[in-house]
Amino acid sequence: MITAQEVALKFTIAQTEFLNALQMVSSAVPSRTTLPVLSNILLEAAGDSIELRATDLDLTISTRAKASVKDIGALTVPAKKLFELVRKLPKEELKVDAKDLTMNVGSKSGRYKFLCIRPEEFPAIPTVTPDAELAIEPAVLERLLRRTIYSVSTDETRPALNGSLLQVKEGELRIVATDGHRLARAAWRPKAGIETSPKGDVIVPLKALNQLLRLISGAAGPIRIGISKNHARFVIGDTTLTTKLIEGPFPNYEQVLPKQNNKQLRIKREDLAQALERVSVFSDSLTRQVKLSLRPNKVTLIVQTPDQGEATEELEASYGSDDLDIGYNAAYLLDILRTADCDEIEIKLNTPVTAGLVAPATPADGKGSSASQEESLLCLVMPLRLAS
């Protein structure tokens, strides 16, 4: 235990190693805070590494970096200034030493002194005793998050929607997000299945989801997820992200999935996405409305905005039901199309005023890749009322 008279540490570290570690944790530092120590990074030196930790009290990121430690110890250092300095230093060995409440960083040509805050003032990482644990490959988790995160609500009057539902159900991990106008559910079922636990449903805040997406981009091995009553923990190599959970309940999304959508449109994903990009140039900046006019084996995209102009595109599609005209927010459709990762999509519809279901179309041979068999995606989009 570090006492009031023992604040000291000493180590050498490669500039690139130090910078990478600082980049990992710095985004957890709050931009504004009434607690000065939260503007700092806790730095601990021990063994053959240093540990860096940053928190805003809701979210904590910690990571380790290889270093040659001469004296063990801990101190909290101003996060922004330390990151800016290390980023601008040349790629060489840096010497770091601290005594009392000052820390020196030395390079070949310079010496820089930081005024610090005692380590005892830094908040402790919440203890996560998992009720549920699982391991998942980084690429799989990245796809699940990317396919759903755009549907998370930013309306603070509905806090339960300000994050994604992580649900362990029927042997699979589901991530579900909705803002009330659209919903996205991505699921992953490992071959062995996942054992459903008492704490299988939790809501992870949007900030944590965004940080997780950033951290897993360079991950090498499986990510370990631990879920407890109030927190979720994600271990990505030497880096750990711990976040408070949002109190629920999350809406019963399965109740809003329509059961009567028997009109089926099948179309090439990229063709529809590119056509939507073009015609939506003329859409209303607020509603982004585009009309889909469905006829046998074709769909016409129509945008008519009195003060913007109009656009029409006709695309080949597989459609054999009654004629149907339905309006959608083009941006909502594009969010789905950009992340669906498939050649064709299937849109199931009923009436011009009921929700449409969008999902990757099953390949004609019914086989698909092993990844697609383990993963699934279902999106719901509410229509916009067309002018008569």
PDB file of all heavy atoms in Angstrom, residues 295-316:
ATOM      1  N   ARG A 295     -44.228  -2.932 -57.576  1.00  0.00           N
ATOM      2  CA  ARG A 295     -45.026  -3.537 -58.625  1.00  0.00           C
ATOM      3  C   ARG A 295     -44.390  -4.885 -58.976  1.00  0.00           C
ATOM      4  O   ARG A 295     -43.255  -5.139 -58.585  1.00  0.00           O
ATOM      5  CB  ARG A 295     -45.088  -2.622 -59.870  1.00  0.00           C
ATOM      6  CG  ARG A 295     -45.678  -1.231 -59.612  1.00  0.00           C
ATOM      7  CD  ARG A 295     -47.152  -1.290 -59.223  1.00  0.00           C
ATOM      8  NE  ARG A 295     -47.738   0.034 -59.040  1.00  0.00           N
ATOM      9  CZ  ARG A 295     -47.840   0.661 -57.869  1.00  0.00           C
ATOM     10  NH1 ARG A 295     -47.348   0.080 -56.766  1.00  0.00           N
ATOM     11  NH2 ARG A 295     -48.399   1.850 -57.779  1.00  0.00           N
ATOM     12  N   PRO A 296     -45.074  -5.748 -59.755  1.00  0.00           N
ATOM     13  CA  PRO A 296     -44.496  -7.054 -60.063  1.00  0.00           C
ATOM     14  C   PRO A 296     -43.068  -6.946 -60.612  1.00  0.00           C
ATOM     15  O   PRO A 296     -42.830  -6.269 -61.629  1.00  0.00           O
ATOM     16  CB  PRO A 296     -45.457  -7.629 -61.112  1.00  0.00           C
ATOM     17  CG  PRO A 296     -46.779  -7.012 -60.765  1.00  0.00           C
ATOM     18  CD  PRO A 296     -46.441  -5.608 -60.324  1.00  0.00           C
ATOM     19  N   ASN A 297     -42.134  -7.558 -59.885  1.00  0.00           N
ATOM     20  CA  ASN A 297     -40.726  -7.664 -60.289  1.00  0.00           C
ATOM     21  C   ASN A 297     -40.007  -6.328 -60.482  1.00  0.00           C
ATOM     22  O   ASN A 297     -39.032  -6.250 -61.233  1.00  0.00           O
ATOM     23  CB  ASN A 297     -40.581  -8.531 -61.541  1.00  0.00           C
ATOM     24  CG  ASN A 297     -40.965  -9.967 -61.241  1.00  0.00           C
ATOM     25  OD1 ASN A 297     -40.684 -10.480 -60.162  1.00  0.00           O
ATOM     26  ND2 ASN A 297     -41.645 -10.609 -62.173  1.00  0.00           N
ATOM     27  N   LYS A 298     -40.491  -5.291 -59.809  1.00  0.00           N
ATOM     28  CA  LYS A 298     -39.749  -4.031 -59.847  1.00  0.00           C
ATOM     29  C   LYS A 298     -40.150  -3.163 -58.655  1.00  0.00           C
ATOM     30  O   LYS A 298     -41.221  -3.335 -58.061  1.00  0.00           O
ATOM     31  CB  LYS A 298     -39.982  -3.274 -61.160  1.00  0.00           C
ATOM     32  CG  LYS A 298     -41.381  -2.718 -61.323  1.00  0.00           C
ATOM     33  CD  LYS A 298     -41.486  -1.895 -62.616  1.00  0.00           C
ATOM     34  CE  LYS A 298     -42.897  -1.303 -62.759  1.00  0.00           C
ATOM     35  NZ  LYS A 298     -43.027  -0.497 -63.983  1.00  0.00           N
ATOM     36  N   VAL A 299     -39.267  -2.242 -58.310  1.00  0.00           N
ATOM     37  CA  VAL A 299     -39.567  -1.249 -57.284  1.00  0.00           C
ATOM     38  C   VAL A 299     -39.074   0.098 -57.802  1.00  0.00           C
ATOM     39  O   VAL A 299     -37.989   0.205 -58.360  1.00  0.00           O
ATOM     40  CB  VAL A 299     -38.914  -1.611 -55.927  1.00  0.00           C
ATOM     41  CG1 VAL A 299     -37.399  -1.755 -56.043  1.00  0.00           C
ATOM     42  CG2 VAL A 299     -39.250  -0.575 -54.876  1.00  0.00           C
ATOM     43  N   THR A 300     -39.918   1.118 -57.640  1.00  0.00           N
ATOM     44  CA  THR A 300     -39.561   2.462 -58.070  1.00  0.00           C
ATOM     45  C   THR A 300     -39.382   3.341 -56.828  1.00  0.00           C
ATOM     46  O   THR A 300     -40.246   3.374 -55.943  1.00  0.00           O
ATOM     47  CB  THR A 300     -40.655   3.061 -58.976  1.00  0.00           C
ATOM     48  OG1 THR A 300     -40.896   2.173 -60.064  1.00  0.00           O
ATOM     49  CG2 THR A 300     -40.215   4.412 -59.528  1.00  0.00           C
ATOM     50  N   LEU A 301     -38.243   4.025 -56.769  1.00  0.00           N
ATOM     51  CA  LEU A 301     -37.978   4.964 -55.681  1.00  0.00           C
ATOM     52  C   LEU A 301     -38.364   6.357 -56.150  1.00  0.00           C
ATOM     53  O   LEU A 301     -37.911   6.811 -57.216  1.00  0.00           O
ATOM     54  CB  LEU A 301     -36.500   4.947 -55.286  1.00  0.00           C
ATOM     55  CG  LEU A 301     -35.864   3.579 -55.003  1.00  0.00           C
ATOM     56  CD1 LEU A 301     -34.427   3.750 -54.538  1.00  0.00           C
ATOM     57  CD2 LEU A 301     -36.660   2.816 -53.965  1.00  0.00           C
ATOM     58  N   ILE A 302     -39.200   7.024 -55.383  1.00  0.00           N
ATOM     59  CA  ILE A 302     -39.714   8.342 -55.793  1.00  0.00           C
ATOM     60  C   ILE A 302     -39.531   9.334 -54.647  1.00  0.00           C
ATOM     61  O   ILE A 302     -39.905   9.061 -53.511  1.00  0.00           O
ATOM     62  CB  ILE A 302     -41.216   8.260 -56.158  1.00  0.00           C
ATOM     63  CG1 ILE A 302     -41.435   7.237 -57.275  1.00  0.00           C
ATOM     64  CG2 ILE A 302     -41.746   9.628 -56.571  1.00  0.00           C
ATOM     65  CD1 ILE A 302     -42.892   6.839 -57.460  1.00  0.00           C
ATOM     66  N   VAL A 303     -38.937  10.467 -54.964  1.00  0.00           N
ATOM     67  CA  VAL A 303     -38.824  11.568 -53.999  1.00  0.00           C
ATOM     68  C   VAL A 303     -39.375  12.820 -54.658  1.00  0.00           C
ATOM     69  O   VAL A 303     -38.955  13.192 -55.762  1.00  0.00           O
ATOM     70  CB  VAL A 303     -37.358  11.802 -53.563  1.00  0.00           C
ATOM     71  CG1 VAL A 303     -37.267  13.030 -52.669  1.00  0.00           C
ATOM     72  CG2 VAL A 303     -36.808  10.587 -52.827  1.00  0.00           C
ATOM     73  N   GLN A 304     -40.320  13.454 -53.991  1.00  0.00           N
ATOM     74  CA  GLN A 304     -40.902  14.711 -54.479  1.00  0.00           C
ATOM     75  C   GLN A 304     -40.954  15.688 -53.316  1.00  0.00           C
ATOM     76  O   GLN A 304     -41.702  15.483 -52.365  1.00  0.00           O
ATOM     77  CB  GLN A 304     -42.310  14.477 -55.044  1.00  0.00           C
ATOM     78  CG  GLN A 304     -42.321  13.610 -56.297  1.00  0.00           C
ATOM     79  CD  GLN A 304     -43.733  13.255 -56.749  1.00  0.00           C
ATOM     80  OE1 GLN A 304     -44.598  12.961 -55.928  1.00  0.00           O
ATOM     81  NE2 GLN A 304     -43.973  13.282 -58.059  1.00  0.00           N
ATOM     82  N   THR A 305     -40.120  16.715 -53.380  1.00  0.00           N
ATOM     83  CA  THR A 305     -40.073  17.725 -52.327  1.00  0.00           C
ATOM     84  C   THR A 305     -40.297  19.077 -52.976  1.00  0.00           C
ATOM     85  O   THR A 305     -39.499  19.493 -53.836  1.00  0.00           O
ATOM     86  CB  THR A 305     -38.709  17.694 -51.603  1.00  0.00           C
ATOM     87  OG1 THR A 305     -38.379  16.336 -51.282  1.00  0.00           O
ATOM     88  CG2 THR A 305     -38.739  18.521 -50.331  1.00  0.00           C
ATOM     89  N   PRO A 306     -41.388  19.778 -52.623  1.00  0.00           N
ATOM     90  CA  PRO A 306     -41.766  21.017 -53.309  1.00  0.00           C
ATOM     91  C   PRO A 306     -40.636  22.023 -53.491  1.00  0.00           C
ATOM     92  O   PRO A 306     -40.480  22.605 -54.558  1.00  0.00           O
ATOM     93  CB  PRO A 306     -42.872  21.585 -52.402  1.00  0.00           C
ATOM     94  CG  PRO A 306     -43.474  20.382 -51.758  1.00  0.00           C
ATOM     95  CD  PRO A 306     -42.357  19.417 -51.566  1.00  0.00           C
ATOM     96  N   ASP A 307     -39.803  22.209 -52.452  1.00  0.00           N
ATOM     97  CA  ASP A 307     -38.760  23.245 -52.578  1.00  0.00           C
ATOM     98  C   ASP A 307     -37.396  22.668 -52.949  1.00  0.00           C
ATOM     99  O   ASP A 307     -36.399  23.390 -52.981  1.00  0.00           O
ATOM    100  CB  ASP A 307     -38.638  24.026 -51.257  1.00  0.00           C
ATOM    101  CG  ASP A 307     -38.359  23.118 -50.079  1.00  0.00           C
ATOM    102  OD1 ASP A 307     -38.533  21.895 -50.222  1.00  0.00           O
ATOM    103  OD2 ASP A 307     -37.965  23.633 -49.019  1.00  0.00           O
ATOM    104  N   GLN A 308     -37.328  21.331 -53.250  1.00  0.00           N
ATOM    105  CA  GLN A 308     -36.041  20.706 -53.563  1.00  0.00           C
ATOM    106  C   GLN A 308     -35.991  20.131 -54.980  1.00  0.00           C
ATOM    107  O   GLN A 308     -34.928  20.026 -55.566  1.00  0.00           O
ATOM    108  CB  GLN A 308     -35.760  19.565 -52.574  1.00  0.00           C
ATOM    109  CG  GLN A 308     -35.677  19.981 -51.116  1.00  0.00           C
ATOM    110  CD  GLN A 308     -34.397  20.731 -50.796  1.00  0.00           C
ATOM    111  OE1 GLN A 308     -33.415  20.611 -51.502  1.00  0.00           O
ATOM    112  NE2 GLN A 308     -34.438  21.534 -49.736  1.00  0.00           N
ATOM    113  N   GLY A 309     -37.135  19.705 -55.493  1.00  0.00           N
ATOM    114  CA  GLY A 309     -37.162  19.042 -56.790  1.00  0.00           C
ATOM    115  C   GLY A 309     -37.661  17.629 -56.626  1.00  0.00           C
ATOM    116  O   GLY A 309     -38.300  17.287 -55.628  1.00  0.00           O
ATOM    117  N   GLU A 310     -37.367  16.780 -57.591  1.00  0.00           N
ATOM    118  CA  GLU A 310     -37.828  15.398 -57.489  1.00  0.00           C
ATOM    119  C   GLU A 310     -36.863  14.445 -58.173  1.00  0.00           C
ATOM    120  O   GLU A 310     -36.037  14.857 -59.004  1.00  0.00           O
ATOM    121  CB  GLU A 310     -39.231  15.241 -58.070  1.00  0.00           C
ATOM    122  CG  GLU A 310     -39.381  15.683 -59.514  1.00  0.00           C
ATOM    123  CD  GLU A 310     -40.836  15.593 -59.967  1.00  0.00           C
ATOM    124  OE1 GLU A 310     -41.671  16.394 -59.506  1.00  0.00           O
ATOM    125  OE2 GLU A 310     -41.111  14.701 -60.797  1.00  0.00           O
ATOM    126  N   ALA A 311     -36.962  13.160 -57.802  1.00  0.00           N
ATOM    127  CA  ALA A 311     -36.088  12.134 -58.376  1.00  0.00           C
ATOM    128  C   ALA A 311     -36.851  10.815 -58.432  1.00  0.00           C
ATOM    129  O   ALA A 311     -37.679  10.530 -57.567  1.00  0.00           O
ATOM    130  CB  ALA A 311     -34.830  11.981 -57.522  1.00  0.00           C
ATOM    131  N   THR A 312     -36.566  10.029 -59.473  1.00  0.00           N
ATOM    132  CA  THR A 312     -37.207   8.719 -59.638  1.00  0.00           C
ATOM    133  C   THR A 312     -36.175   7.723 -60.149  1.00  0.00           C
ATOM    134  O   THR A 312     -35.388   8.046 -61.051  1.00  0.00           O
ATOM    135  CB  THR A 312     -38.360   8.789 -60.662  1.00  0.00           C
ATOM    136  OG1 THR A 312     -39.275   9.810 -60.259  1.00  0.00           O
ATOM    137  CG2 THR A 312     -39.088   7.471 -60.739  1.00  0.00           C
ATOM    138  N   GLU A 313     -36.148   6.542 -59.554  1.00  0.00           N
ATOM    139  CA  GLU A 313     -35.292   5.450 -60.058  1.00  0.00           C
ATOM    140  C   GLU A 313     -36.076   4.153 -60.017  1.00  0.00           C
ATOM    141  O   GLU A 313     -36.788   3.884 -59.054  1.00  0.00           O
ATOM    142  CB  GLU A 313     -34.020   5.303 -59.206  1.00  0.00           C
ATOM    143  CG  GLU A 313     -32.959   6.330 -59.542  1.00  0.00           C
ATOM    144  CD  GLU A 313     -31.544   5.788 -59.366  1.00  0.00           C
ATOM    145  OE1 GLU A 313     -31.345   4.566 -59.593  1.00  0.00           O
ATOM    146  OE2 GLU A 313     -30.659   6.587 -59.021  1.00  0.00           O
ATOM    147  N   GLU A 314     -35.921   3.345 -61.058  1.00  0.00           N
ATOM    148  CA  GLU A 314     -36.598   2.052 -61.122  1.00  0.00           C
ATOM    149  C   GLU A 314     -35.557   0.941 -61.043  1.00  0.00           C
ATOM    150  O   GLU A 314     -34.540   0.975 -61.736  1.00  0.00           O
ATOM    151  CB  GLU A 314     -37.393   1.940 -62.424  1.00  0.00           C
ATOM    152  CG  GLU A 314     -38.297   0.720 -62.485  1.00  0.00           C
ATOM    153  CD  GLU A 314     -39.152   0.713 -63.748  1.00  0.00           C
ATOM    154  OE1 GLU A 314     -40.046   1.583 -63.870  1.00  0.00           O
ATOM    155  OE2 GLU A 314     -38.902  -0.148 -64.617  1.00  0.00           O
ATOM    156  N   LEU A 315     -35.822  -0.047 -60.187  1.00  0.00           N
ATOM    157  CA  LEU A 315     -34.888  -1.143 -59.993  1.00  0.00           C
ATOM    158  C   LEU A 315     -35.587  -2.483 -60.203  1.00  0.00           C
ATOM    159  O   LEU A 315     -36.758  -2.640 -59.876  1.00  0.00           O
ATOM    160  CB  LEU A 315     -34.322  -1.116 -58.560  1.00  0.00           C
ATOM    161  CG  LEU A 315     -33.538   0.131 -58.136  1.00  0.00           C
ATOM    162  CD1 LEU A 315     -33.243   0.061 -56.643  1.00  0.00           C
ATOM    163  CD2 LEU A 315     -32.247   0.248 -58.928  1.00  0.00           C
ATOM    164  N   GLU A 316     -34.833  -3.452 -60.736  1.00  0.00           N
ATOM    165  CA  GLU A 316     -35.359  -4.814 -60.832  1.00  0.00           C
ATOM    166  C   GLU A 316     -35.392  -5.431 -59.436  1.00  0.00           C
ATOM    167  O   GLU A 316     -34.491  -5.213 -58.620  1.00  0.00           O
ATOM    168  CB  GLU A 316     -34.466  -5.664 -61.741  1.00  0.00           C
ATOM    169  CG  GLU A 316     -34.566  -5.302 -63.205  1.00  0.00           C
ATOM    170  CD  GLU A 316     -33.729  -6.243 -64.075  1.00  0.00           C
ATOM    171  OE1 GLU A 316     -33.171  -7.212 -63.511  1.00  0.00           O
ATOM    172  OE2 GLU A 316     -33.639  -5.997 -65.284  1.00  0.00           O
TER     173      GLU A 316
END
